[in-house]
Amino acid sequence: MDTIGLVQLAELIYNYCGIDYMKNLSSLEPKISGRLKELGLSAWEYCGYLKMEAKEWDTLIELITVNETYFFREENLLDEIKSAILPQYKDRTTENPLVIWCAACSSGEEPYTIGILVEESGLFQPGAVRIIASDINKKVLKKARSGVYNKKSFSFRKMPEGVLDKFFIELEEDYKVKDSIMEMVDFRYMNLLDNNITGKIEKSDIILCRNVLIYFDTKAIQRIVDDFSNILKPGGYLFLGHAETITGMKSDFETIYTQNIFYYKKGGNSLCGSTGC
């Protein structure tokens, strides 16, 4: 594969969505080789094709994004949200709902898991919690919106006992998330490097963006963190993946350490309600 074309393609990808292949071209090549063969194009010609056919970006994003996820991923983090974070917002109402943004939701297991935690908590009336779930991959968003997952898939690799019976409907070969959970979640297409992202996402109380920043360079991460800060309400919380950190970056987040995890809180006065943050 022509190296010049591959470098140009890596630059286009970086400028489009921030995913950084510039220092790892060898991992980009196998992801796109099949598509190039299908189209009969070189990497250099494919760059021109992307400029002429905007819809091709959807196909390319499907090829280069990693969408491995499952229900109840990172148990310690979820325990913290359920026991320490959600109770702070128990006074929220349908007129002033708790807004949670899952900023890279993939095929939907994470936002549905959060919805299950909300319902299990018993703290909120229907409509008092809104979960925004976004991703750049339109194919996985379509799956997420369906709420249907094959029984043999990795999606269920760590399901707590009793959750399937309580929150899923059993079909022949699949399980479907119950309507009470699905109705909490609003799935949206979103590029985290969108110049107007702060105008497309409502002010949020909690943001989850797990196992995403590892694919960006420092410049892109800083830009995303700035947007998260602008979207989060004062006193709001940011949860990243266990291998990701923004410590040392310029931000108004303070790090909160527990025995098992760490996460971030935005400075400023809390808007969580009478219980505070």
Side-chain angles (χ1 to χ4, degrees):
M1 188 174 295
D2 61 300
T3 302
I4 294 177
L6 204 58
V7 170
Q8 185 179 2
L9 179 58
E11 290 176 348
L12 287 178
I13 291 171
Y14 177 80
N15 291 330
Y16 182 79
C17 64
I19 299 176
D20 187 7
Y21 283 104
M22 296 300 296
K23 297 179 181 178
N24 195 14
L25 294 176
S26 61
S27 68
L28 175 60
E29 183 174 350
K31 292 177 184 291
I32 63 167
S33 59
R35 182 58 175 165
L36 296 186
K37 184 176 180 180
E38 180 182 354
L39 294 172
L41 300 175
S42 67
W44 182 81
E45 291 169 330
Y46 187 61
C47 292
Y49 186 74
L50 284 168
K51 295 175 182 178
M52 296 292 294
E53 300 288 340
K55 290 185 178 180
E56 179 63 20
W57 275 106
D58 294 341
T59 301
L60 179 57
I61 290 298
E62 291 174 15
L63 296 174
I64 65 173
T65 52
V66 178
N67 296 292
E68 179 186 354
T69 186
Y70 49 90
F71 290 101
F72 287 85
R73 188 176 187 177
E74 295 184 32
E75 183 179 354
N76 291 332
L77 180 147
L78 297 175
D79 287 344
E80 181 73 8
I81 291 175
K82 185 176 181 179
S83 63
I85 305 300
L86 290 181
Q88 299 174 19
Y89 297 91
K90 65 182 180 180
D91 294 333
R92 291 303 179 90
T93 64
T94 54
E95 291 76 24
N96 180 32
L98 166 61
V99 180
I100 302 170
W101 177 26
C102 295
C105 69
S106 187
S107 45
E109 288 89 337
E110 178 181 80
Y112 288 138
T113 296
I114 299 300
I116 291 170
L117 293 182
V118 167
E119 191 152 313
E120 280 188 323
S121 75
L123 297 171
F124 305 93
Q125 61 180 298
V129 178
R130 295 183 57 240
I131 302 171
I132 302 167
S134 66
D135 204 275
I136 195 173
N137 187 322
K138 293 181 180 179
K139 183 177 181 179
V140 296
L141 279 174
K142 183 178 180 180
K143 176 178 176 58
R145 289 188 180 103
S146 75
V148 176
Y149 302 86
N150 188 273
K151 292 179 179 179
K152 297 181 180 180
S153 75
F154 285 118
S155 296
F156 301 106
R157 60 198 288 185
K158 288 198 174 184
M159 291 295 284
E161 185 177 354
V163 169
L164 275 174
D165 292 335
K166 190 173 182 181
F167 296 105
F168 290 80
I169 299 169
E170 185 174 6
L171 308 175
E172 289 187 8
E173 298 181 355
D174 308 296
Y175 289 110
K176 184 179 186 300
V177 182
K178 285 190 174 180
D179 289 346
S180 61
I181 304 300
M182 294 186 66
E183 288 167 359
M184 292 187 206
V185 187
D186 175 15
F187 288 101
R188 305 179 188 179
Y189 168 78
M190 189 67 61
N191 182 344
L192 290 180
L193 268 291
D194 191 316
N195 288 327
N196 189 36
I197 195 167
T198 56
K200 295 181 177 180
I201 297 291
E202 297 92 310
K203 287 290 186 178
S204 302
D205 300 284
I206 302 168
I207 295 177
L208 296 95
C209 185
R210 299 193 284 166
N211 308 306
V212 177
L213 300 186
I214 54 175
Y215 300 106
F216 298 126
D217 67 0
T218 302
K219 181 180 178 181
I221 293 173
Q222 183 68 66
R223 178 175 169 182
I224 292 168
V225 169
D226 289 344
D227 283 337
F228 285 167
S229 179
N230 288 330
I231 291 167
L232 269 178
K233 297 176 184 178
Y237 294 98
L238 171 64
F239 291 89
L240 304 177
H242 67 275
E244 298 169 314
T245 178
I246 59 172
T247 302
M249 300 190 71
K250 182 181 178 182
S251 76
D252 56 358
F253 289 104
E254 62 176 291
T255 307
I256 297 177
Y257 296 94
T258 72
Q259 184 176 355
N260 298 307
I261 66 167
F262 64 91
Y263 52 101
Y264 303 93
K265 181 178 179 180
K266 181 181 175 179
N269 295 326
S270 168
L271 294 181
C272 293
S274 62
T275 56
C277 284

